[in-house]
Amino acid sequence: SLGGSLRDALKKIASASRLDKTLVDETVREIQRALLSADVNVKLVMNISNRIRDRALSEKPPAGMNPREHVINIVYQELINLVGRSSDVALKKQTIMLIGLQGSGKTTTAAKLATFFQRKGLRTAVICADTFRAGAYDQLKALCERQGIFFYGDKGNPDAPSVARIGLEAAKRYDVKIVDTAGRHALESDLIQEMKDIHAVVNADHKLLVMDAALGQQASEQARAFNEAVGITGVIITKLDGTAKGGGAMSAVAETKSSVAFIGVGETPNDLERFEADRFISRLLG
Amino acid sequence: VILDEKDLQEPLWALEMALLESDVALPVAEEIVTSIRQELVGQKKKIGSDTGQLAEGALKNAILKVLSRNLMDFDQFMKESSKPVKILFVGVNGTGKTTSIAKVAKYLKDRGYSVVMAAGDTFRAGAVEQMEVHGARLDVKVVKHKTGGDPAAVIFDAVEYAKAHNKDVVLADTAGRLHTNINLMDQMRKIVRVTKPDLMIFVDEAIAGNDAVERARLFNQSVPISGTILTKTDADAKGGSAISIAHITGKPIIFLGVGQDYPDLVKFEPEWLLDRLFG
Ligand SMILES: Nc1nc2c(ncn2[C@@H]2O[C@H](COP(=O)(O)OP(=O)(O)OP(=O)(O)O)[C@@H](O)[C@H]2O)c(=O)[nH]1
Ligand SMILES: Nc1nc2c(ncn2[C@@H]2O[C@H](COP(=O)(O)OP(=O)(O)OP(=O)(O)O)[C@@H](O)[C@H]2O)c(=O)[nH]1
Ligand SMILES: [Mg+2]
Ligand SMILES: [Mg+2]
């Protein structure tokens, strides 16, 4: 496995008395392969690996650290810089808007997030502003009813911003309001406009980009477009319970200079965890 | 002049990067580039001709070979198959299975076939309702049970309905499932044993990266798939995952999903992908 070949390269460094260029190049090559197979953006991988190579060759290991630990430390530092620490999740009154590509897990995440806040003692409401997808209303309504969470939607209203506005009014006594939206991508200009229109109505405290852990090289560009349209305040990476490493989503976080608030690790409302950067990175490197 | 490894290093590296940036999975990109290197090393090249262009030409041929394996003519398959034809759709969560079934239903109706859809996702909230909306819009019968029921039983009922009413084709939906979920993969195998589909369609998305290989491999290993529908190609996806999936399964890409509406389904042509990658 790739994790295996990276481990082997690092083992060689461990038994080396000093780091020479050939050894570092070999290790950096394995780091590149690990990052690329984890879906990290290609250009980003090249940038990071150049920095890792330069630092490994030019920096003296701190006292008490052997060359292998030093290289691992550099790799971790560079990746932590990209993905950042977990976002702060304020436990207070707020409105959250969930946006993202088709099928990324927004609706499921809306129910998970609502469950999270509800368990923290905050009165939570969910608004279905997806007026496009067949069965979106039924899907979210069923998820919310199972958790005893207030739900607003309107099957008869095709105007998403209007549903959002009326929904926020209906939910005004609630502490946390979560607005689910339809999936969309950067090239669907009418849907990007709709998202801007919903945003103008909702003016959410948090606009969370929900991204599938398996998303590939498209991630950075899509995140950039979403960020440009309404401004991303955080990312939620879903479906990390599979084999996908989340490198695309990590690239998106780096691209938008945001951070990861939560991760999704399953289909039920309980399957939401706080993001832990170290765990994420060690899993990414395989 | 004889091409050697050193001449090829730069151009092959550039090509490998282009493949990776187009979402071809790393092991697949490496394998393709290695085979091109082996093919080109030692070959004669005319003085003045461009090594980069030679390498790109070899790459196009290699990709064309991967994509042309077992090409399937879906229309021909439908013509020749005894009715009712049973088609099962499987894949991981959110890739576009249910939407693709609705598109295929429209595609077949337009060609004169009578269609039944089986609401075989008995697990996810709103799944049956989603299928019912498509059925109502397309005027296609949907066979369903209550949520929580046995998917194999729903699909079995749909086939019985099709036989009783002389319907040409049953399109059976299933719940999204991760390839790592042993129970759900076992469930899928059971559905196949009970319903004996004529066609197993793996539905995956063009926007997926390296994981496309892993999931295609495990689904194909579990219940050999007949072919793939690759969705969300309209998201500016270069479509490299088509190469990864075709390479690892040896099965054809049958259709592409090019949008969210019913007409957004096109027959896959290898040239389409070559244009995207090299155009
Ligand atoms: N295994 C797993 N499945 C998930 C996770 N999050 C969502 N899903 C599944 O992914 C599929 C898509 O989820 P949805 O919530 O419908 O996605 P969406 O973003 O709302 O989709 P659209 O509204 O069509 O854009 C469903 O089958 C979910 O159950 C997760 O963390 N793990
Ligand atoms: N842009 C675009 N969106 C698509 C395409 N195919 C499907 N979608 C969208 O992807 C999302 C998920 O589609 P579904 O059909 O619900 O996916 P699924 O595989 O059945 O999902 P689960 O049953 O939850 O696993 C929906 O928002 C669809 O409209 C496509 O070709 N292009
Ligand atoms: Mg949704
Ligand atoms: Mg479905």
Side-chain angles (χ1 to χ4, degrees), chain B residues 211-229:
Chain B
D211 210 43
V213 168
E214 203 47 27
R215 46 215 217 186
R217 190 175 66 78
L218 286 177
F219 270 79
N220 193 34
Q221 199 172 288
S222 180
V223 286
I225 65 175
S226 317
T228 298
I229 291 181

Side-chain angles (χ1 to χ4, degrees), chain A residues 57-158:
Chain A
L57 289 173
S58 65
E59 289 178 8
K60 287 172 60 45
M65 203 179 271
N66 69 42
R68 174 175 167 278
E69 289 166 335
H70 180 49
V71 171
I72 293 179
N73 201 33
I74 292 173
V75 174
Y76 260 72
Q77 280 181 3
E78 288 296 327
L79 292 178
I80 291 272
N81 279 343
L82 283 185
V83 73
R85 295 290 164 198
S86 180
S87 331
D88 297 321
V89 178
L91 295 177
K92 59 179 194 195
K93 286 191 198 292
Q94 61 195 291
T95 305
I96 298 171
M97 178 169 143
L98 297 182
I99 55 185
L101 298 178
Q102 285 91 351
S104 63
K106 298 173 292 297
T107 303
T108 309
T109 300
K112 290 177 181 179
L113 263 183
T115 302
F116 170 83
F117 284 112
Q118 179 133 305
R119 286 181 181 155
K120 298 284 186 189
L122 291 159
R123 289 155 46 80
T124 308
V126 173
I127 297 158
C128 173
D130 177 351
T131 55
F132 171 77
R133 173 170 150 156
Y137 171 100
D138 301 292
Q139 181 185 8
L140 192 47
K141 181 162 191 275
L143 288 173
C144 289
E145 284 182 345
R146 284 178 208 168
Q147 304 298 111
I149 291 169
F150 177 87
F151 168 81
Y152 177 85
D154 183 354
K155 277 198 204 186
N157 187 350

Side-chain angles (χ1 to χ4, degrees), chain A residues 2 29 32-34 36-39 42-43 46 101-104 108 132-135 138-140 142-143 146 155 183-185 187-188 191 212 214-218 221-222 239 241-245 267-268, chain B residues 13 16-17 20-23 26-27 30 93-95 123-127 129-131 133-134 137 147 176-180 184 205-211 214-215 218 232 234-238 259-261:
Chain A
L2 260 170
R29 172 105 181 102
Q32 279 180 345
R33 293 182 72 233
L36 287 170
S37 75
D39 296 320
V42 173
K43 298 226 169 9
M46 295 309 142
L101 298 178
Q102 285 91 351
S104 63
T108 309
F132 171 77
R133 173 170 150 156
D138 301 292
Q139 181 185 8
L140 192 47
L143 288 173
R146 284 178 208 168
K155 277 198 204 186
R184 69 200 76 226
H185 60 69
L187 294 181
E188 291 163 326
L191 297 185
D212 191 322
L215 190 54
Q217 293 293 315
Q218 273 297 306
E221 179 52 29
Q222 293 293 338
K239 308 179 203 171
D241 47 314
T243 49
K245 300 282 177 60
E267 296 191 73
T268 80
Chain B
W13 172 252
E16 185 170 348
M17 286 302 111
L20 293 174
E21 284 183 309
S22 306
D23 271 327
L26 180 68
E30 288 184 327
N93 306 72
T95 56
F123 168 74
R124 206 206 67 211
E129 290 83 348
Q130 181 181 9
M131 186 132 267
V133 168
H134 288 310
R137 285 185 196 158
T147 298
R177 69 202 65 230
L178 288 185
H179 44 294
T180 46
L184 290 182
E205 51 200 351
I207 54 180
N210 278 262
D211 210 43
E214 203 47 27
R215 46 215 217 186
L218 286 177
K232 308 178 193 174
D234 51 305
D236 199 19
K238 287 279 178 58
Q260 301 192 88
D261 297 321

Side-chain angles (χ1 to χ4, degrees), chain B residues 1-209:
Chain B
V1 131
I2 305 282
L3 280 172
D4 69 19
E5 289 250 5
K6 273 188 94 271
D7 301 323
L8 290 169
Q9 195 166 349
E10 268 294 321
L12 288 185
W13 172 252
L15 286 180
E16 185 170 348
M17 286 302 111
L19 289 177
L20 293 174
E21 284 183 309
S22 306
D23 271 327
V24 177
L26 180 68
V28 175
E30 288 184 327
E31 208 170 313
I32 291 177
V33 169
T34 300
S35 73
I36 298 173
R37 178 179 297 116
Q38 289 171 350
E39 175 190 336
L40 290 177
V41 161
Q43 268 195 24
K44 293 203 186 65
K45 128 181 141 94
K46 290 205 195 65
I47 310 260
S49 67
D50 181 39
T51 306
Q53 279 197 356
L54 272 173
E56 186 172 298
L59 179 61
K60 280 189 183 152
N61 286 333
I63 291 176
L64 200 57
K65 263 195 25 232
V66 168
L67 294 177
S68 307
R69 272 151 83 191
N70 300 316
L71 267 184
M72 168 192 214
D73 185 334
F74 185 70
D75 295 340
Q76 199 58 26
F77 168 82
M78 283 301 302
K79 270 215 196 78
E80 296 170 353
S81 301
S82 57
K83 312 292 186 282
V85 184
K86 300 172 281 182
I87 307 182
L88 189 72
F89 293 74
V90 298
V92 305
N93 306 72
T95 56
K97 297 175 291 301
T98 307
T99 306
S100 298
I101 288 172
K103 291 176 183 177
V104 171
K106 175 86 174 73
Y107 179 92
L108 290 171
K109 269 197 82 176
D110 288 349
R111 283 155 182 73
Y113 293 100
S114 53
V115 183
V116 175
M117 299 195 295
D121 180 352
T122 55
F123 168 74
R124 206 206 67 211
V128 175
E129 290 83 348
Q130 181 181 9
M131 186 132 267
E132 285 184 304
V133 168
H134 288 310
R137 285 185 196 158
L138 294 171
D139 189 23
V140 169
K141 166 79 178 170
V142 175
V143 172
K144 61 184 194 282
H145 290 183
K146 284 173 118 46
T147 298
D150 172 15
V154 180
I155 298 170
F156 186 85
D157 279 0
V159 174
E160 292 305 297
Y161 179 94
K163 287 178 181 165
H165 294 84
N166 272 325
K167 301 290 187 182
D168 299 320
V169 54
V170 175
L171 303 177
D173 196 9
T174 62
R177 69 202 65 230
L178 288 185
H179 44 294
T180 46
N181 188 319
I182 311 279
N183 290 338
L184 290 182
M185 294 302 277
D186 283 345
Q187 183 200 62
M188 179 176 66
R189 267 193 291 278
K190 168 168 173 247
I191 293 173
V192 173
R193 266 203 314 280
V194 167
T195 62
K196 303 190 177 50
D198 301 303
L199 214 61
M200 286 284 303
I201 297 190
F202 177 64
V203 181
D204 214 337
E205 51 200 351
I207 54 180

